[in-house]
């Protein structure tokens, strides 16, 4: 049986702002627990308000490793005012721009997981450019344009250790999902075609792959 989060962790996940459904969250948690056995950090790209971070942090705590989460906290394209996934509660009332960092911190505090997460606040390519540590898990869940999804893959996939896992969210093969999931789908296809990664599982729009060879 795949590892499952404790009821209080699942409750914290469900209570947090975010878009990941429970079945995908359970699959991500199981992957994080497995990856944690490598004794290396677990990293996600795309924090938003910390919904999936709760799961990664608990898996990291159980494994005695660190969870890292990368986001500039100004929202991705589809979360801006006027777009489908915009939440007015995430707008800084003084500056008039999105700021999901305070909500994210409240999410971790309520879940009792602050001590198990390092929040890397900045743009993914800038942080990836200076990153040097091997990772047990990389979870790509950032921007959905080709520019952003490709940059996340090229920046972070090289750091997945041998036997480590690469998880990609919002993989939608149907061309009608061009805006929401075609860029992650193309990254997923690229990972498979590289020969560096082998698919482990598929749960709705979440794909989990294992590093089985060099390169990206």
């Amino acid at each position: 049986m795949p590892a499952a989060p404790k009821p209080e962790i699942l409750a914290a996940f469900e209570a947090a702002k975010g878009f990941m459904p429970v079945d995908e969250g359970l699959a991500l948690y199981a992957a994080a627990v497995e990856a944690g056995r490598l004794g290396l950090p677990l990293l996600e790209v795309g924090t938003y308000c910390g919904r999936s971070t709760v799961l990664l942090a608990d898996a990291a705590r159980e494994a005695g490793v660190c969870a890292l989460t990368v986001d500039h906290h100004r929202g991705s394209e589809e979360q801006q005012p006027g777009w489908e996934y915009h939440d007015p509660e995430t707008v800084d009332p003084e500056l008039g721009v999105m700021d999901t960092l305070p909500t994210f911190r409240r999410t971790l505090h309520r879940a009792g997981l602050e001590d198990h997460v390092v929040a890397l606040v900045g743009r993914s390519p800038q942080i990836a450019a200076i990153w040097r540590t091997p990772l047990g898990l990389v979870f790509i869940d950032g921007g959905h344009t080709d520019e952003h999804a490709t940059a996340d893959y090229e920046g972070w996939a090289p750091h997945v250790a041998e036997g480590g896992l690469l998880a990609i969210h919002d993989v939608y093969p149907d061309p009608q999902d061009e805006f929401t999931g075609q860029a992650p789908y193309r990254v997923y296809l690229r990972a498979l075609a590289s020969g560096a990664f082998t698919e482990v599982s598929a749960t709705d729009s979440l794909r989990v792959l294992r590093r089985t060879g060099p390169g990206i």
Side-chain angles (χ1 to χ4, degrees):
M1 289 286 293
K6 296 181 288 294
E8 61 270 24
I9 295 299
L10 186 58
F13 164 80
E14 292 188 275
K17 283 184 184 290
F19 310 103
M20 176 173 273
V22 171
D23 58 344
E24 294 179 350
L26 293 175
L28 178 65
Y29 182 83
V33 168
E34 179 183 341
R37 298 186 186 119
L38 294 176
L40 298 171
L42 314 176
L43 181 142
E44 73 173 342
V45 183
T47 313
Y48 190 52
C49 296
R51 186 175 172 93
S52 55
T53 317
V54 166
L55 301 177
L56 297 184
D58 186 63
R61 173 172 62 182
E62 294 295 319
V65 300
C66 183
L68 305 125
T69 184
V70 178
D71 203 309
H72 49 64
H73 288 280
R74 295 302 189 199
S76 58
E77 305 81 13
E78 68 272 19
Q79 293 161 5
Q80 300 307 315
W83 290 90
E84 180 181 359
Y85 294 101
H86 178 64
D87 183 345
E89 292 183 359
T90 63
V91 175
D92 183 313
E94 180 181 347
L95 301 179
V97 297
M98 282 190 64
D99 185 1
T100 55
L101 185 56
T103 307
F104 160 69
R105 298 202 68 182
R106 285 193 290 272
T107 297
L108 287 188
H109 180 77
R110 289 167 178 158
L113 292 166
E114 285 184 295
D115 291 344
H116 304 280
V117 179
V118 173
L120 302 167
V121 181
R123 298 198 173 271
S124 171
Q126 292 175 303
I127 298 172
I130 59 172
W131 192 260
R132 298 293 180 267
T133 303
L135 299 166
L137 171 81
V138 167
F139 173 42
I140 296 178
D141 191 22
H144 290 78
T145 63
D146 279 303
E147 176 190 2
H148 291 138
T150 298
D152 290 340
Y153 177 73
E154 292 180 349
W156 293 106
H159 300 293
V160 177
E162 176 69 24
L165 299 178
L166 172 68
I168 306 171
H169 195 218
D170 295 323
V171 173
Y172 292 106
D174 193 326
Q176 74 175 0
D177 296 310
E178 173 61 37
F179 187 73
T180 55
Q182 283 281 283
Y185 176 60
R186 286 188 278 270
V187 163
Y188 157 75
L189 292 179
R190 176 177 170 179
L192 288 179
S194 72
F197 295 97
T198 303
E199 186 167 315
V200 174
S201 68
T203 305
D204 293 336
S205 77
L206 180 71
R207 302 291 186 273
V208 179
L209 302 91
R210 187 186 317 280
R211 178 176 285 287
T212 51
I216 63 167

